[in-house]
Amino acid sequence: MNQKSVLIFCLLAGILTGCASVPATRFYTLSPSASPPAAQKAGYSLSVGPVWIPAAVDRPQIVLQTGPNQVLIAEYDRWAAPLKEAIPRVLVENLSLMLGVQDVSVFPQSGSSEASYRIMIDLLRFDSLPGKAAVVDARWTVRSTKDGKTGSGHTKITETVRADGYAELVAAHSRALEQLSSQMARTVREVDAGKP
């Protein structure tokens, strides 16, 4: 074997050894509420969106807030779907259950322009504090597409993480989104009832 062949062999062996030591990537998904459905079915339809997501967390990897001005991107712990798709999906499922609405869509899907109410959401924070909490800070506006009446809200939810690990952190985010959905459902009911 000449020197060039030995060098190529060593290089290939190093690459294969390096590839073998790469940790497996784990994927996580947000889940909708497990609450019982609303007793009465609503006679209106909803369109949820757009939902604005903070750019710092709008990536495949889970972003951990490790300090006031510092984050850690968990390269091997990732969202199974983009947050800009997963969060609206969970909110739609939660609102459908909580309000008894059969016709709920994610804006701008077909049919969303004909919905009775449109809910626009601005997530100001979607922070993951490892071993501590999931923080969701959001503003939303509910607008009637029939008469233009609106209702709005702003809430900051800090949901405690019940155990260590990414799965528990993601579960805390799901619970925080459930609380957010509940508050948005209350706003929808108020606008539908004509309350100021």
Side-chain angles (χ1 to χ4, degrees):
M1 230 185 215
N2 64 25
Q3 193 173 21
K4 189 174 182 180
S5 297
V6 170
L7 182 61
I8 291 171
F9 177 77
C10 289
L11 182 63
L12 287 174
I15 290 171
L16 291 174
T17 303
C19 290
S21 64
V22 174
T25 301
R26 292 167 296 276
F27 294 92
Y28 302 88
T29 186
L30 296 164
S31 56
S33 170
S35 301
Q40 286 187 317
K41 301 284 183 213
Y44 50 79
S45 57
L46 295 175
S47 171
V48 176
V51 178
W52 288 278
I53 311 289
V57 298
D58 191 15
R59 60 179 61 236
Q61 303 91 341
I62 294 177
V63 178
L64 303 173
Q65 190 79 34
T66 57
N69 302 304
Q70 186 175 13
V71 296
L72 172 71
I73 298 172
E75 191 59 43
Y76 300 106
D77 294 281
R78 297 176 173 235
W79 297 107
L83 287 176
K84 63 184 171 191
E85 295 173 11
I87 292 172
R89 176 191 54 81
V90 167
L91 295 175
V92 160
E93 291 184 51
N94 287 346
L95 289 166
S96 176
L97 191 70
M98 292 171 181
L99 293 168
V101 178
Q102 299 293 319
D103 187 9
V104 186
S105 60
V106 175
F107 180 84
Q109 290 177 350
S110 63
S112 61
S113 61
E114 299 166 7
S116 308
Y117 296 99
R118 183 161 168 207
I119 306 172
M120 293 159 282
I121 303 147
D122 186 4
L123 282 180
L124 305 171
R125 292 178 62 194
F126 192 81
D127 295 347
S128 301
L129 290 85
K132 296 179 182 174
V135 178
V136 173
D137 187 355
R139 289 188 178 122
W140 67 91
T141 301
V142 175
R143 185 177 61 80
S144 168
T145 57
K146 294 175 185 172
D147 57 18
K149 289 182 181 175
T150 63
S152 60
H154 178 209
T155 188
K156 180 180 175 186
I157 300 160
T158 302
E159 182 64 36
T160 303
V161 174
R162 297 177 181 167
D164 288 336
Y166 288 94
E168 291 300 326
L169 187 58
V170 171
H173 271 300
S174 295
R175 292 191 302 273
L177 289 175
E178 180 179 358
Q179 291 181 54
L180 174 60
S181 300
S182 178
Q183 293 185 31
M184 289 191 302
R186 185 171 61 241
T187 304
V188 170
R189 288 189 194 101
E190 289 172 355
V191 173
D192 191 58
K195 292 182 181 175

